Amino acid sequence: MDAREFSLEEEYGYNRAGPVRWILSHALRYPGLPILLFLAAAGNNAAFSYVQVFVGRSFDLITHPGWTQAALLAAALSITAAAASQGLTGLMRNYVAEFIAQLVERDSRHELYVSLLGKSQTFHGRQRIGDIMARATNDVHNLNFMFSPGVMLIADSLFNLLIPIILIGTIQPELLLVPLVFLVLLVITIRDYARRLNPISIAMREQFGVMNAGLAEAIAGIEVVKANVQERHEWSKFTQNARIYRDYFVRHGEIQALYWPMLVFSLAWAVGLFHALLIWQAGRISLGQVVTFVGLMGALRFPTFISLFSFDLVQLGIASARRILELINARTELDENIGGISQPIRGGVTFDHVRFSYSGKQVLRDVSFNALPGETIAIVGQTGSGKTSLTRLINRIYDVEAGRVLVDGIDVREWSMESLRSQVSTIEQDIFLYSGTIAENISFGRENATQAMIEEAAREAQADEFIRSFSMGYQTEIGERGVTLSGGQRQRIAIARAFLTDPRILILDDSTSAIDSATEDQIQRAMRRISRQRTTFLITHRLSQIRWADRILVLRRGEVVDQGAHHELLTRSRDYRRIFARYEKDEGRAPGGLAAGTAGAD
Amino acid sequence: MGFILDGLESESYDREYRDRDLFARILSYFRPFSRKVVLVAGVLALNSIAGSGAPIAISRALDLASTNPTLLTLAQVSALVLILGAIAWVSNLVHQWVSARVVGDVVLKLREDALQATLGHDISFYEEHPSGKIVSRVTSDTQDFSDVVTLVVSLLSQILLVGFLAVWLVRINAALTGLLLVMAPFAIVVALSFRRVARRVTQNARRVTAKINAQIQESISGITVAKAFRKERSIYNTFDQNNRQAFRVGLRRGLTLNTIFPIMGLSSGVGVAVLMYAGALRVETGGLSPGDWYLFMQAVGYFWFPLMSIASFWSQFQDGLSAAERVFALIDAGPVVVQTASEPVERLAGGIEFRNMRFSYTETEVVLPDYSLSIRPGETLALVGHTGAGKSSVASLIARFYEFQGGELLIDGRDIRRFNLAEYRRHLGLVPQDPFLFSGSVGDNVRYARLDASDDEVRRAAMHIGGGDWLEDLPEGLETQAGERGSSLSMGQRQLVALARVLLKDPTILILDEATASVDPFTEAQIQEGLREIMRDRTSVIIAHRLWTVQRADRIVVMDHGRIIAEGTHDSLLAQGGHYAELYNTYFRHQSLEYIESVGG
């Protein structure tokens, strides 16, 4: 069953079986519109073709002496009427296409969003924001372009070819010979053209990207370039890329120059003229009808250019649809375990020979430790050692590959996910705050928080002071329209938020740097306060936090190379000692400096 | 062909160069290709003649029809249409073929020139201009600039075509031609006013869309938090509102832009009707043959689109000139750091002396009013002070990244302004706060200082940093890919690479700007061991943020508002109290063991 955590009362059911079907189900949601689009496109081309018909008839009219003013006027008016219909239907076609395009964009973005809201926290814990964003903005926008101008131009081209040919047929079926042969040749030459052009277009675009990226890198690192006197080297690198681009550009232009379809058209037009004149000479059609025929064949010129560009847009749209559907249809394999254990957590966490991989890479190899309720565990290690993944196994963003993770002695897979997650909180590295007031952000997780509770939490989190330093205090707006907060300030607001939600297990991913000792004092205090009375996992660089944790886990390449309290590790672990090494007596001063042997000031 | 919907997005740009000068300069890039340009011009003229010839030939054919022509005559006329069509096609082919080459070569040359000039600029230029803008000037604006010439050429060919046709038509019937041409200003006015409206709508829409996208982005970024706190409904409501607004804005813009072509089609059709009527009257009086009557009606179609393009020509021409100006401004930017000579710099001992230096970064702010400092060869000197005290400026001046306005800067007693800069910089090692790495392997990055270094030398340099343990922590050692801007490595690892790079270079003078961001304790330990290594045997000027650094420095210089207010060792300065003690309390205290011990309990 597709478990969802959020849904709307009346949701339109789109067909999610495949990208094309999905796009169609969107477009057909308002069935009137696509029908209107095709009718308008057909009408538009019919009107344009009829202008040619009326011109031809006028030709016949004036070449036969004895015509009346009234007849002439009628002819002129009919041309005007046809032109007017052409304009109106053209407008209608464009407007309808634009409507469909904007509706599809809006609806698909809406559908994606609702689906994302319905996905579990597991899903979101794994997703990269940038990736979701790209799909919600770019891919959704490509769907818009697919319809306007994409499908609109295709519909137009279709009728642009069909209707003149039908009309030519109604004048005199034999006239169809040349246009139909032309059509066949057109399709062949256009396909050949696309086959030759596409690879070069793609290569050219890619090369532009390469050239751009290479240059961007050199400019971004200009200090390094200048400091190492590598200006010439960078220039050569760039010009090499630029030359390759030039070659593609020239090749692209050459292929475009050799545009056979246009030659085929000119030839067909001339041959068609001859053919029509022959038939006229044989008395089967009037000269005016020759005029009409020439005009109708002339109309066939337009679709030859536009068609390629519009197919590209459609292809792009389908590719984007596929990416969006991927997200919408994604399911998380973890089952919510609704019938699982649901009880207050005391806070004991045990890892038992845990192994975990992610995207084919081994992240945790054999991790075992035991944390008692209320303990503060510091996790230290280099980037990529597995610290964050370890914490994500506790609230089941991921599941282990081998071994077990236990909370209060019970395997996390036996807990009800709802119960587990509501009692385990994470303060991430990148703290997300809404544009809203500070008070709103602090009370985000607690519906009925009073101002007093909010301020109390802020005080504990050492945030009260700086909040009051703003003119609007707790009502200060943050975000784009408001103040920008420093990393340390955001962290303390997140900590205040955590005070209000009061989790039993807290995971604190602390990576803000210390700029000044005063702020550092406050952050230390806030972190110590929040760690009390709950089991806290601290991913941190701060030696002051590591030193005083109840237990320290030293991770290296996915393994716990050591664990224990500070003094134990100092005696046992060489790596750990190295961290505090600067506090030992100084060895080896630089020669040429002052007298050696000055011990550390403290 | 100038396209009416092009270039609506470009923002206004204050122009300083004159149009004439710009255009002349652009032409100078085309001068080496003058023969090809003439060929293109000729071929375009041919194309215009052939292009205008086709409808004329058809009208001749129609008139011929009333004279009871033979089969041969009909064939001949059709053949004429065919030949004209073929000529038009071939001339277009030649035009595009040759133009592609010319444009490609011109743009390439322009890019090369632009980059060469850019790389020669000093650091102050790069700080004034965001790197993204510089890049787009070299890659995109150069392309736009070549489009100006293409535009002008294409416009000329269209004017030629319209001109030929008009001349032919006037010879047939001046009055009708007059009628035809009367519609021209109307077409131009329609096109111009449309462009004005369209431009405004587009730019408005762009502003609003950017805002809405930002809101949608926030909404999506916040989903995780919303879910953690079970607040899905409320952020859904915000999203829905923003999504609907985006729909309305997008629709308004799309509908506006999509109006022009149907209207153009309509007006062209009405023009045909008018000409049809007026022409028919003349046919009746015998003043006009039916063939020529048909020619006039065809002419409407041939005139209309070029006229609309001509209307958009001026603003697109201006846009193209703006692009050209941006490129030339890039090239012309004068150097600020000017060397007065180019003396060779073979060996340096590493003594640095500032004598009464005066340095202003901008015209109003004086950073160093009167700075004097003498650094002995091999000394380890730490600079401390609040932000804005002038520490980075001192370091950048030693690297000759900026020009100073008064006083002297002597390296081993020689005036730094007289040095050959490239040679001088080979004696410098720079480690900035957040080191920049190129995409490529870690080994490549270490080697960047000396591209001719052997693999052994690279490895040796890397192993000297913290015993080489850091290499083991990299997934593929020296072969590990650094990723774009070094993003595959952590900041601490990037610092280690920068240290190895400096070690390989083995410069006489080291300039180090210590990072303030925190790094995991293991990497920090490796970095400190690395620092110990590279500070040996060379003059080291360090902008210090580490307690460890100030403790080991031979001398600490305390700066405030561009002046040196105290000097000494860490212990002596601390004993004195004063500004240093305050700095210690603010930036260094929390790094001390004392502090770490005091936090607990």
Side-chain angles (χ1 to χ4, degrees):
Chain A
M1 209 209 98
D2 185 18
R4 298 220 299 176
E5 298 176 9
F6 174 80
S7 58
L8 299 174
E9 297 77 47
E10 4 116 330
E11 259 178 76
Y12 189 84
Y14 297 102
N15 184 330
R16 294 173 181 170
V20 175
R21 262 179 273 196
W22 183 67
I23 293 174
L24 282 177
S25 72
H26 266 279
L28 294 174
R29 177 172 173 177
Y30 316 93
L33 288 180
I35 294 176
L36 214 56
L37 173 65
F38 280 89
L39 282 179
N44 176 264
N45 280 294
F48 177 72
S49 303
Y50 265 92
V51 169
Q52 307 305 315
V53 169
F54 292 141
V55 165
R57 290 207 194 136
S58 320
F59 187 89
D60 279 337
L61 183 68
I62 64 170
T63 49
H64 290 95
W67 47 270
T68 61
Q69 276 281 13
L72 183 67
L73 202 55
L77 285 177
S78 50
I79 293 181
T80 311
S85 332
Q86 183 192 348
L88 284 173
T89 48
L91 223 60
M92 187 161 82
R93 174 201 66 201
N94 286 0
Y95 280 9
V96 171
E98 191 63 36
F99 248 99
I100 297 179
Q102 297 289 346
L103 282 172
V104 168
E105 180 177 345
R106 182 195 73 181
D107 291 343
S108 58
R109 194 184 286 124
H110 184 265
E111 186 188 350
L112 177 63
Y113 192 78
V114 169
S115 138
L116 285 175
L117 273 183
K119 297 264 189 291
S120 65
Q121 210 176 332
T122 307
F123 173 86
H124 286 287
R126 299 180 184 183
Q127 271 302 339
R128 285 202 354 228
I129 277 294
D131 189 52
I132 296 187
M133 273 311 302
R135 295 180 206 215
T137 50
N138 293 344
D139 287 326
V140 162
H141 212 55
N142 284 342
L143 291 180
N144 180 318
F145 287 140
M146 185 174 132
F147 282 95
S148 172
V151 167
M152 177 185 88
L153 287 177
I154 292 178
D156 190 49
S157 300
L158 206 69
F159 289 115
N160 203 326
L161 287 176
L162 235 65
I163 291 186
I165 289 187
I166 292 176
L167 281 181
I168 289 174
T170 59
I171 296 175
Q172 179 65 246
E174 340 166 25
L175 278 175
L176 281 174
L177 176 65
V178 175
L180 286 179
V181 169
F182 164 67
L183 216 56
V184 169
L185 289 176
L186 181 71
V187 169
I188 294 175
T189 49
I190 285 192
R191 285 215 354 222
D192 166 72
Y193 178 71
R195 203 177 31 87
R196 278 182 298 138
L197 192 69
N198 268 339
I200 302 291
S201 292
I202 292 174
M204 195 171 86
R205 234 196 332 257
E206 278 176 8
Q207 183 62 19
F208 187 84
V210 166
M211 184 177 72
N212 222 31
L215 182 63
E217 195 183 59
I219 303 282
I222 193 70
E223 255 193 47
V224 179
V225 174
K226 285 194 163 299
N228 289 296
V229 197
Q230 298 288 12
E231 289 97 328
R232 186 87 210 153
H233 170 78
E234 292 299 328
W235 186 84
S236 311
K237 257 172 47 186
F238 174 77
T239 46
Q240 223 174 343
N241 279 336
R243 290 204 178 122
I244 297 175
Y245 179 79
R246 188 267 318 262
D247 293 339
Y248 279 129
F249 180 82
V250 168
R251 183 90 198 95
H252 193 254
E254 288 175 359
I255 296 178
Q256 280 182 318
L258 241 112
Y259 189 57
W260 294 112
M262 204 54 219
L263 182 64
V264 168
F265 172 78
S266 303
L267 299 183
W269 210 26
V271 170
L273 173 66
F274 184 58
H275 188 212
L277 286 173
L278 285 183
I279 299 181
W280 162 75
Q281 209 178 37
R284 289 201 285 279
I285 57 173
S286 74
L287 203 55
Q289 286 173 316
V290 172
V291 167
T292 298
F293 173 74
V294 164
L296 287 176
M297 267 216 77
L300 297 176
R301 190 199 333 232
F302 186 59
T304 55
F305 292 114
I306 295 296
S307 26
L308 295 168
F309 162 67
S310 23
F311 281 117
D312 265 347
L313 287 177
V314 170
Q315 266 183 332
L316 221 66
I318 295 181
S320 290
R322 188 169 293 124
R323 270 197 295 274
I324 297 175
L325 264 189
E326 220 173 59
L327 270 192
I328 293 180
N329 285 337
R331 304 158 98 91
T332 52
E333 316 79 62
L334 296 191
D335 116 72
E336 311 282 310
N337 200 359
I338 307 191
I341 302 206
S342 175
Q343 69 195 27
I345 292 179
R346 273 176 304 123
V349 176
T350 307
F351 270 57
D352 183 23
H353 294 289
V354 166
R355 206 172 68 211
F356 175 67
S357 296
Y358 181 72
S359 300
K361 260 177 36 192
Q362 183 79 252
V363 178
L364 294 174
R365 273 168 232 278
D366 182 14
V367 173
S368 300
F369 68 85
N370 185 38
L372 299 170
E375 275 194 325
T376 302
I377 317 279
I379 306 176
V380 286
Q382 294 182 313
T383 317
S385 50
K387 312 188 290 276
T388 312
S389 304
L390 193 156
T391 56
R392 293 225 174 113
L393 293 171
I394 299 176
N395 59 351
R396 287 195 79 197
I397 298 292
Y398 295 109
D399 261 350
V400 301
E401 202 173 275
R404 301 180 303 161
V405 174
L406 310 168
V407 168
D408 287 349
I410 304 170
D411 194 317
V412 289
R413 286 170 286 199
E414 288 167 41
W415 281 85
S416 136
M417 228 196 271
E418 159 85 27
S419 173
L420 183 66
R421 295 252 179 95
S422 62
Q423 302 183 70
V424 178
S425 262
T426 309
I427 298 182
E428 297 276 359
Q429 266 192 30
D430 279 310
I431 292 164
F432 182 82
L433 297 178
Y434 279 96
S435 43
T437 66
I438 291 182
E440 280 167 5
N441 269 285
I442 294 178
S443 61
F444 194 63
R446 186 92 173 250
E447 284 291 323
N448 39 19
T450 62
Q451 182 67 14
M453 289 162 74
I454 294 175
E455 293 186 16
E456 170 71 26
R459 265 197 297 278
E460 286 289 299
Q462 312 298 307
D464 183 69
E465 207 182 299
F466 82 77
I467 295 178
R468 284 187 196 282
S469 76
F470 296 131
S471 55
M472 301 279 287
Y474 282 84
Q475 300 314 311
T476 311
E477 291 272 333
I478 44 184
E480 226 179 70
R481 284 165 287 138
V483 299
T484 346
L485 300 173
S486 71
Q489 288 171 332
R490 296 166 80 86
Q491 192 176 37
R492 281 174 279 164
I493 290 190
I495 292 178
R497 199 159 68 187
F499 268 114
L500 279 186
T501 52
D502 196 29
R504 300 280 81 239
I505 298 177
L506 176 67
I507 299 166
L508 224 177
D509 201 340
D510 164 43
S511 65
T512 59
S513 56
I515 305 289
D516 66 270
S517 305
T519 315
E520 186 59 19
D521 278 344
Q522 301 208 304
I523 293 181
Q524 297 294 356
R525 223 171 286 146
M527 282 170 63
R528 255 179 306 131
R529 297 241 170 123
I530 191 85
S531 314
R532 281 195 208 134
Q533 288 159 3
R534 65 193 97 247
T535 313
T536 310
F537 289 89
L538 210 51
I539 302 176
T540 182
H541 303 324
R542 298 186 150 95
L543 291 190
S544 41
Q545 289 293 329
I546 298 171
R547 163 79 179 84
W548 291 104
D550 294 312
R551 193 190 311 267
I552 301 154
L553 291 179
V554 179
L555 280 182
R556 197 175 177 182
R557 311 253 242 147
E559 289 184 42
V560 177
V561 293
D562 218 324
Q563 55 171 302
H566 173 75
H567 50 272
E568 293 173 46
L569 290 179
L570 266 188
T571 46
R572 265 206 322 257
S573 159
R574 182 185 87 99
D575 283 334
Y576 193 77
R577 253 203 309 279
R578 246 167 131 184
I579 301 174
F580 291 89
R582 52 186 154 147
Y583 302 100
E584 298 170 9
K585 280 224 179 320
D586 230 324
E587 316 131 338
R589 296 293 301 273
L594 302 177
T598 316
D602 358 19
Chain B
M1 175 183 132
F3 226 56
I4 196 166
L5 285 180
D6 284 347
L8 289 175
E9 300 242 320
S10 54
E11 295 171 351
S12 66
Y13 176 78
D14 285 328
R15 296 270 307 282
E16 289 181 1
Y17 289 57
R18 287 184 318 174
D19 285 5
R20 220 172 321 152
D21 296 334
L22 275 178
F23 200 63
R25 204 160 162 184
I26 294 173
L27 283 182
S28 71
Y29 273 86
F30 283 86
R31 211 187 310 277
F33 306 99
S34 37
R35 269 201 313 218
K36 291 207 176 106
V37 172
V38 167
L39 174 64
V40 167
V43 141
L44 274 177
L46 191 62
N47 182 279
S48 301
I49 295 175
S52 58
I56 292 175
I58 291 182
S59 69
R60 288 288 112 246
L62 290 174
D63 279 337
L64 219 57
S66 54
T67 65
N68 219 335
T70 60
L71 189 62
L72 184 62
T73 326
L74 289 180
Q76 280 173 335
V77 164
S78 308
L80 184 62
V81 174
L82 192 150
I83 290 171
L84 286 173
I87 292 177
W89 186 81
V90 168
S91 50
N92 184 53
L93 188 160
V94 173
H95 154 227
Q96 288 203 287
W97 190 279
V98 175
S99 294
R101 276 195 162 60
V102 172
V103 169
D105 284 336
V106 165
V107 171
L108 177 63
K109 181 83 175 55
L110 196 54
R111 285 185 175 142
E112 291 179 348
D113 287 352
L115 185 61
Q116 179 147 27
T118 306
L119 287 174
H121 292 323
D122 10 270
I123 295 292
S124 44
F125 175 83
Y126 288 93
E127 289 176 355
E128 245 181 78
H129 297 89
S131 64
K133 289 229 163 91
I134 296 177
V135 171
S136 89
R137 286 186 191 201
V138 175
T139 51
S140 304
D141 285 337
T142 47
Q143 188 79 45
D144 293 346
F145 141 126
S146 77
D147 290 346
V148 172
V149 179
T150 317
L151 194 67
V152 170
V153 167
S154 147
L155 180 74
L156 286 177
S157 85
Q158 288 185 37
I159 291 182
L160 255 181
L161 186 138
V162 167
F164 280 135
L165 215 47
V167 162
W168 184 274
L169 290 174
V170 155
R171 279 185 36 214
I172 299 175
N173 190 310
L176 268 185
T177 314
L179 187 59
L180 183 64
L181 290 178
V182 144
M183 295 190 279
F186 173 69
I188 295 182
V189 163
V190 165
L192 279 175
S193 24
F194 170 73
R195 265 189 81 87
R196 207 156 21 119
V197 170
R199 210 187 187 99
R200 203 169 14 135
V201 168
T202 306
Q203 289 180 342
N204 276 341
R206 197 154 51 106
R207 259 193 296 277
V208 176
T209 317
K211 190 185 83 155
I212 294 171
N213 276 337
Q215 289 172 346
I216 292 179
Q217 168 149 10
E218 186 194 84
S219 205
I220 292 184
S221 308
I223 282 186
T224 321
V225 174
K227 291 202 70 64
F229 293 103
R230 265 82 62 85
K231 301 269 282 194
E232 289 98 331
R233 171 60 60 167
S234 78
I235 75 166
Y236 167 77
N237 289 335
T238 317
F239 165 81
D240 195 40
Q241 218 177 353
N242 294 331
N243 199 24
R244 281 176 198 282
Q245 198 184 359
F247 169 75
R248 283 194 299 272
V249 172
L251 189 63
R252 203 175 319 146
R253 173 177 170 274
L255 292 181
T256 313
L257 291 185
N258 271 301
T259 315
I260 188 62
F261 283 112
I263 290 193
M264 271 159 66
L266 168 63
S267 25
S268 131
V270 168
V272 168
V274 166
L275 271 176
M276 188 280 258
Y277 190 84
L281 295 178
R282 280 168 181 71
V283 170
E284 196 188 18
T285 62
L288 190 69
S289 77
D292 286 332
W293 170 83
Y294 183 59
L295 182 62
F296 270 96
M297 285 190 298
Q298 283 188 87
V300 174
Y302 277 85
F303 271 44
W304 210 261
F305 279 83
L307 282 177
M308 305 230 116
S309 315
I310 291 173
S312 60
F313 168 77
W314 189 251
S315 60
Q316 285 178 267
F317 185 63
Q318 290 297 314
D319 285 343
L321 287 183
S322 297
E325 177 165 329
R326 282 194 289 274
V327 176
F328 291 134
L330 187 68
I331 296 179
D332 293 343
V336 177
V337 172
V338 180
Q339 295 301 95
T340 54
S342 186
E343 291 171 12
V345 185
E346 282 184 17
R347 256 191 298 274
L348 284 182
I352 304 172
E353 186 178 352
F354 286 78
R355 263 190 213 163
N356 303 105
M357 170 171 293
R358 211 181 88 86
F359 172 62
S360 300
Y361 190 57
T362 62
E363 267 156 26
T364 47
E365 269 179 67
V366 178
V367 180
L368 303 173
D370 181 10
Y371 195 77
S372 295
L373 176 66
S374 186
I375 306 175
R376 286 187 306 279
E379 187 178 1
T380 302
L381 184 91
L383 293 171
V384 298
H386 287 301
T387 326
K391 317 184 292 282
S392 315
S393 303
V394 168
S396 299
L397 285 167
I398 298 176
R400 194 88 179 116
F401 280 156
Y402 297 133
E403 180 64 88
F404 53 90
Q405 288 78 33
E408 288 178 291
L409 176 51
L410 307 173
I411 311 287
D412 283 356
R414 294 163 65 184
D415 184 355
I416 197 178
R417 280 172 297 198
R418 300 181 61 82
F419 285 165
N420 174 315
L421 263 190
E423 286 188 33
Y424 170 58
R425 291 212 177 113
R426 285 191 219 281
H427 296 272
L428 289 183
L430 242 58
V431 183
Q433 278 201 12
D434 186 7
F436 184 89
L437 297 189
F438 295 103
S439 58
S441 71
V442 167
D444 290 337
N445 272 283
V446 174
R447 187 182 268 121
Y448 198 73
R450 276 178 46 206
L451 288 177
D452 57 350
S454 69
D455 286 344
D456 264 343
E457 291 175 285
V458 170
R459 176 160 292 276
R460 233 176 311 140
M463 294 297 284
H464 262 101
I465 306 285
D469 279 354
W470 65 285
L471 287 178
E472 282 167 34
D473 288 323
L474 291 172
E476 282 154 56
L478 279 178
E479 297 306 308
T480 311
Q481 291 300 310
E484 217 182 279
R485 324 261 165 113
S487 54
S488 299
L489 303 180
S490 71
M491 204 183 85
Q493 286 170 325
R494 287 202 290 276
Q495 292 210 359
L496 290 165
V497 175
L499 294 180
R501 189 195 278 158
V502 167
L503 210 56
L504 181 66
K505 192 175 189 187
D506 195 26
T508 319
I509 299 175
L510 168 72
I511 300 174
L512 168 68
D513 194 348
E514 291 198 313
T516 51
S518 62
V519 157
D520 74 84
F522 297 104
T523 312
E524 172 69 20
Q526 290 172 339
I527 291 174
Q528 282 186 17
E529 288 169 27
L531 284 177
R532 203 196 315 251
E533 186 64 37
I534 69 170
M535 294 194 317
R536 250 189 249 282
D537 295 330
R538 58 190 109 251
T539 312
S540 307
V541 178
I542 307 173
I543 301 174
H545 284 105
R546 287 188 172 85
L547 179 58
W548 178 86
T549 309
V550 295
Q551 284 173 337
R552 333 183 56 247
D554 294 326
R555 178 164 47 132
I556 302 170
V557 166
V558 184
M559 288 179 62
D560 186 32
H561 288 97
R563 290 180 204 282
I564 298 177
I565 57 177
E567 276 184 51
T569 63
H570 172 71
D571 294 329
S572 69
L573 285 171
L574 210 52
Q576 277 172 39
H579 197 69
Y580 185 74
E582 185 211 316
L583 286 172
Y584 175 80
N585 250 326
T586 313
Y587 299 114
F588 297 107
R589 178 169 53 84
H590 62 273
Q591 297 179 42
S592 65
L593 188 60
E594 212 172 51
Y595 177 80
I596 292 175
E597 291 298 316
S598 74
V599 159

